[in-house]
Amino acid sequence: MACHFLLAVLLASSSWVAASSGAAADDVMVPRPTTAAALTFREGYTQLFGDSNLRLHGDGKRVHISLDERTGSGFASQGAYFHGFFSASIKLPSDYAAGVVVAFYMSNGDVYEKTHDELDFEFLGNVRGKEWRVQTNVYGDGSTAVGREERFYVDGTPIREVVRSEAMGAQFPSKPMSLYATIWDGSSWATSGGRYKVEYKYAPYVAEFTDLELRGCASHDRAQPASCEPEGMPARQRAAMERVRARHMTYGYCYDRARYPAPLPECRVGAEAAMYLPSGEARSSDRRRHGKRHRRADSAL
């Protein structure tokens, strides 16, 4: 299975936008640099962990990270960014992949240990015959005790926008972050709340990253170019986002009354809350059975 997801990160401005597979880059709210060439691994990234579980192919233009009984693996960008457009095409492990988590995210936890910011795409594996799910999350100023998860089946449009507001205050990410990609064992929670675990008899689980792009406003650049100024989301994209959220979101933290009896201050809960259980799960969780299965996905931050 493969997927293409877009995440436009606008830390110095107003919002964070996540978009799903098939979305054209020009339709997504992104700072647009003058060049947009995909990088080789060594031009923009470094290995985080996993020794031989990270392998380069095609002159460094394809990166395989894998999970086996010994370890997972991962890599990170060499630089940190205030905001930008960070992209990769990701081919996820197929067949049985319960408990496996492939993450593509921004973070500055290595610099701000107790006040870090983070924007997440987490691809959650599943049992044979069930699709992967995509979970997004956002943390600001070390607010890890407050989870702002939203979980989706997605296909071709933006899926989430988090707008800076007084209600979120310091919990809106505001510091430069690096890009990360990892694969790891999330057996305790990733699939049906931990009911299904990683089965290492199917290992290694391999995720392939290609078309790697880093198009952001680097933290070390004091004179930011005009291309770093964020653009607004077109009205048709916002309308498409609202439609996909209504049809494909399977969990939303704003509707989780068990976890948050009083919704978090940025939540605007209306009549649509009737579509969700007190747990925050959608009443009809498998909303895209009628849809086609993805075979390839691209991810961007």
Side-chain angles (χ1 to χ4, degrees):
M1 176 184 177
C3 13
H4 188 152
F5 290 82
L6 307 176
L7 182 62
V9 181
L10 309 176
L11 302 182
S13 178
S14 60
S15 63
W16 163 64
V17 174
S20 65
S21 65
D26 290 339
D27 292 336
V28 180
M29 181 168 57
V30 294
R32 184 63 58 190
T34 55
T35 60
L39 301 175
T40 65
F41 184 84
R42 292 185 176 86
E43 286 176 321
Y45 305 89
T46 185
Q47 183 170 1
L48 275 177
F49 68 103
D51 50 75
S52 61
N53 280 16
L54 185 149
R55 295 181 180 273
L56 302 181
H57 302 272
D59 296 325
K61 294 182 179 180
R62 290 185 292 120
V63 186
H64 286 185
I65 56 175
S66 62
L67 167 68
D68 57 26
E69 289 179 312
R70 296 184 310 110
T71 183
S73 52
F75 61 91
S77 63
Q78 295 172 13
Y81 302 86
F82 283 106
H83 55 270
F85 177 86
F86 310 94
S87 177
S89 296
I90 306 172
K91 184 176 180 181
L92 301 170
S94 60
D95 202 18
Y96 184 98
V100 177
V101 179
V102 176
F104 187 68
Y105 64 104
M106 306 289 293
S107 179
N108 49 33
D110 58 333
V111 179
Y112 304 97
E113 182 179 353
K114 296 182 179 180
T115 60
H116 89 286
D117 305 316
E118 187 166 317
L119 303 173
D120 293 335
F121 262 134
E122 293 176 319
F123 305 91
L124 310 181
N126 217 328
V127 297
R128 186 178 289 110
K130 297 282 189 178
E131 290 116 331
W132 287 66
R133 291 193 185 185
V134 181
Q135 177 168 286
T136 65
N137 211 339
V138 53
Y139 300 108
D141 199 38
S143 56
T144 55
V146 179
R148 291 181 165 90
E149 300 97 330
E150 291 182 348
R151 192 171 295 180
F152 297 85
Y153 292 118
V154 296
D155 188 12
T157 55
I159 59 175
R160 185 173 187 181
E161 179 181 29
V162 180
V163 179
R164 183 189 294 274
S165 67
E166 291 185 7
M168 285 187 71
Q171 292 184 4
F172 188 93
S174 60
K175 301 182 288 292
M177 295 185 284
S178 298
L179 174 69
Y180 294 85
T182 56
I183 185 170
W184 47 282
D185 187 330
S187 290
S188 64
W189 66 276
T191 307
S192 299
R195 179 181 178 186
Y196 300 102
K197 316 293 186 183
V198 172
E199 291 281 359
Y200 283 105
K201 64 183 179 182
Y202 300 116
Y205 296 96
V206 180
E208 179 183 86
F209 286 74
T210 58
D211 304 323
L212 293 163
E213 294 185 31
L214 292 172
R215 296 191 273 144
C217 300
S219 60
H220 62 268
D221 290 341
R222 295 188 178 277
Q224 298 293 343
S227 59
C228 282
E229 292 300 318
E231 303 170 3
M233 181 189 291
R236 62 188 177 83
Q237 282 286 324
R238 178 162 280 106
M241 179 177 69
E242 293 303 323
R243 289 194 298 270
V244 80
R245 290 174 63 81
R247 295 184 61 190
H248 300 298
M249 192 162 78
T250 64
Y251 170 85
Y253 73 97
C254 285
Y255 310 109
D256 191 336
R257 298 189 293 279
R259 190 178 183 185
Y260 304 117
L264 294 181
E266 74 272 11
C267 293
R268 297 292 179 265
V269 177
E272 81 287 354
M275 299 169 59
Y276 295 87
L277 298 169
S279 64
E281 297 287 338
R283 292 187 181 276
S284 179
S285 60
D286 197 359
R287 296 182 176 188
R288 64 178 306 276
R289 274 186 196 277
H290 60 283
K292 63 183 179 180
R293 293 286 302 275
H294 288 296
R295 299 311 304 166
R296 181 135 195 111
D298 297 328
S299 252
L301 294 170

